[in-house]
Amino acid sequence: VTPVQAENACRLVGKRLCTEAEWQAACGGPSNFLYPYGNTYSTTACNGLDLGRNAIGNTGSFSACQGGYPGLWDMSGNVYEFATNGAVIRAKGGSFRSGAGAGLLRCNTGFDWTSGGPDAVVGFRCCRNRDP
């Protein structure tokens, strides 16, 4: 999907794209881990380049790749995820093509998404506003 398509899909279900800060907090959890599963990189926990799968996997199929809170799967590897930082769209979490060397599989790493077009290794998740 494109960033606009992702934003529209979230809006259709009464939500929005997560901010980068929200995404990072969800990935690292209350302990603010570097990776969803802890502070030490694991080559087998999530679907990154080092796992050697070389393809997108079904969400939740990597049992060790749960985010900082129960039920948040694949926040590292598998596909990049769109998040917002003001008016800037960021790509977070790395993909199955990302290795540990570039740091892209870390919760606190991302890059500006400058392409307006879709990419097969990018997805998104939606956030909701907290009730007042």
Side-chain angles (χ1 to χ4, degrees), residues 38-130:
N39 284 323
T40 304
Y41 179 70
S42 167
T43 59
T44 59
C46 298
N47 188 18
L49 182 66
D50 298 321
L51 184 64
R53 192 164 187 277
N54 299 320
I56 296 170
N58 292 330
T59 300
S61 61
F62 303 94
S63 62
C65 195
Q66 189 165 197
Y69 297 92
L72 294 178
W73 299 103
D74 303 319
M75 296 196 79
S76 177
N78 218 24
V79 296
Y80 290 105
E81 295 183 7
F82 290 133
T84 62
N85 190 342
V88 177
I89 299 293
R90 301 274 291 161
K92 301 288 290 180
S95 77
F96 70 90
R97 296 178 183 163
S98 303
L104 294 174
L105 297 170
R106 294 170 59 147
C107 294
N108 64 355
T109 305
F111 60 91
D112 291 354
W113 186 260
T114 56
S115 168
D119 190 301
V121 297
V122 182
F124 64 97
R125 65 181 75 221
C126 303
C127 285
R128 65 176 169 83
N129 293 326
R130 292 180 179 239

